[in-house]
Each structure stands twice: as C-alpha cells, then as structure tokens.
Amino acid sequence: MLFQIFDAFKPRLHDSNSKVSQVALEAMHKMIPVLKDNLSPVINMLIPAIVDNNLNSKNPGIYAAATNVIQALCQHLDNSLLLQPFCTKAQFLSGKAKQDLTEKLA
C-alpha cells in the first residue's frame, strides 16, 4: 500500500510546475513525523525525488521546502536508514545540494 501511494506521489516532488513541487515537498514535510520509520521501505525512492532538482532550485520556496524535508528526515528517521541514500546522492550532486547533503552526512 505504501509503495502505491508514494509511486503516485513521487512525480509531484519534481513536477515541472514549481508550485506543485513546493506543495508536494511541504506535504512530505508534514507526513514524515507521522510515518517516521514506516517510510523505510520507500526511503530509497523518496530521497532522490526530494533531492534531485529541489536542493539546487533557484526558487527559494522550493529550496526551503526541500531543506525542511531533509531536516525532518534526519529528526524523525533512524539515521542508519538515511546513510546509504544520502551517500549515494551526495556522490553525484553538485553545488549547494552537494554541500547541504554532505553537511547532513557529517
């Protein structure tokens, strides 16, 4: 069930319409404290959707929302669940996104 929900939700996280992406990130931020470690089966699918484009966005609303989501993940999920997906993404990112994710890893 969780996979079906997030399979449908994931494309909204990197929608071409910036308002849709921002609202999706804000919704994700609200979901994380509720779902917590129950997100573990979908975390490898979510991290790229959250990070790609959003952490390097020139739109301050999207960047702030993506940063809030990453912060919420770090606060509410077991850090061992985040280590591998964060490392994998940090390898291939550039700019501000790489710096932000590397700081979270540290």
Side-chain angles (χ1 to χ4, degrees):
M1 179 71 168
L2 197 62
F3 280 106
Q4 292 170 326
I5 292 168
F6 283 99
D7 274 344
F9 183 75
K10 184 179 103 173
R12 304 296 69 84
L13 291 168
H14 45 81
D15 197 278
S16 59
N17 183 329
S18 61
K19 290 179 184 176
V20 172
S21 294
Q22 185 172 342
V23 170
L25 286 163
E26 291 166 355
M28 188 73 227
H29 183 251
K30 293 175 185 173
M31 286 187 265
I32 292 167
V34 175
L35 295 172
K36 297 183 182 180
D37 287 337
N38 292 321
L39 286 171
S40 64
V42 294
I43 203 69
N44 288 327
M45 166 179 63
L46 282 178
I47 301 265
I50 293 163
V51 172
D52 291 349
N53 302 324
N54 297 320
L55 270 184
N56 268 335
S57 178
K58 292 185 185 346
N59 180 319
I62 290 176
Y63 174 76
T67 302
N68 288 340
V69 170
I70 297 297
Q71 183 63 35
L73 287 170
C74 293
Q75 284 180 320
H76 297 286
L77 269 71
D78 181 352
N79 288 338
S80 65
L81 294 172
L82 301 173
L83 184 61
Q84 185 60 48
F86 277 10
C87 284
T88 302
K89 284 311 302 175
Q91 282 182 300
F92 301 105
L93 290 172
S94 62
K96 183 89 171 115
K98 184 173 193 124
Q99 179 183 346
D100 290 344
L101 217 49
T102 303
E103 286 175 10
K104 289 296 176 197
L105 282 166

